[in-house]
Amino acid sequence: MRDFKGKRYWLVGASEGLGRALALKLSRAGAEVILSARSAERLAALAAELPGRCHVVAMDVADRDSVQKAAQEVGEIDGLVFLAGIATLLKAQEWDTDKVEQMLDINLTGAARVIGQVIGPMVARDAGHIVMIGSLSAYRGLPGSIGYSASKAGLMALAESMHGDLRHSNICVQLANPGYIQTRMQDDNPHAKPFIMSPEKAAQEVFEQMNTDIFHKAFPFGFGLLFRFSRLLPMRLYEAIFFQR
């Protein structure tokens, strides 16, 4: 079990959904929580519910200056959880460059901007904890997921590279790939959402992983296994199964 008491954890993308639920768990575990997202109003409402010490630092991960300013205000931390992300259903036939760029910029480049502000001090101290929240959509391209699958696949590769580079250090890097979570992100998704989880259930899965040194976790377990297995399928068979008209 990891001891969170007195540790400072920066949650980026904490205003609602999984981020909000995880902030509550970490605060109850004794961590000092720094909450970041674009909406200062939602963050303030969450901060009022947390039982432990917390700070609100509004930030836009798509803006480098905003990230740098926020990192200076946050100061030294023991852990970072990157949860920021957006999803827009989009097929190749309906390509929208603005939406594709936005997903890549927030889900992947945004993570790089934030991690870039904290990794140096962690390496210098040889201590730290970085958790990235990906998606089951990272394992292979999915129908109607132009931009989103690519951004989450990139985030998974980023986490794998960091874990490999830092494996002999005291910096723990972890990747959590959840399935469907009941959030506003799903409001515009007309498709079936098998094994959809509440934010609280998903937060429990992530919190349990954070209490270990396990690098990777895909959940729910059976649904996650299906996506991981899909990487072994030849392209023709994969498309026949996942891209049915």
Side-chain angles (χ1 to χ4, degrees), residues 143-162:
S145 291
I146 294 296
Y148 186 70
S149 283
S151 67
K152 292 299 186 178
L155 187 70
M156 184 162 68
L158 173 63
E160 289 172 343
S161 293
M162 289 182 63

Side-chain angles (χ1 to χ4, degrees), residues 180-235:
Y180 293 109
I181 302 173
Q182 188 61 62
T183 63
R184 284 194 307 143
M185 194 180 290
Q186 299 300 334
D187 289 349
D188 296 327
N189 184 354
H191 303 301
K193 301 179 254 306
F195 306 104
I196 192 165
M197 298 169 286
S198 68
E200 291 73 24
K201 172 61 176 174
Q204 182 62 31
E205 293 276 2
V206 174
F207 184 68
E208 288 176 3
Q209 180 185 6
M210 289 175 68
N211 272 281
T212 73
D213 291 324
I214 295 171
F215 164 63
H216 171 265
K217 185 175 186 179
F219 59 92
F221 178 75
F223 199 38
L225 203 60
L226 171 65
F227 280 84
R228 297 179 72 178
F229 174 75
S230 74
R231 301 176 81 177
L232 304 176
L233 297 177
M235 182 60 86

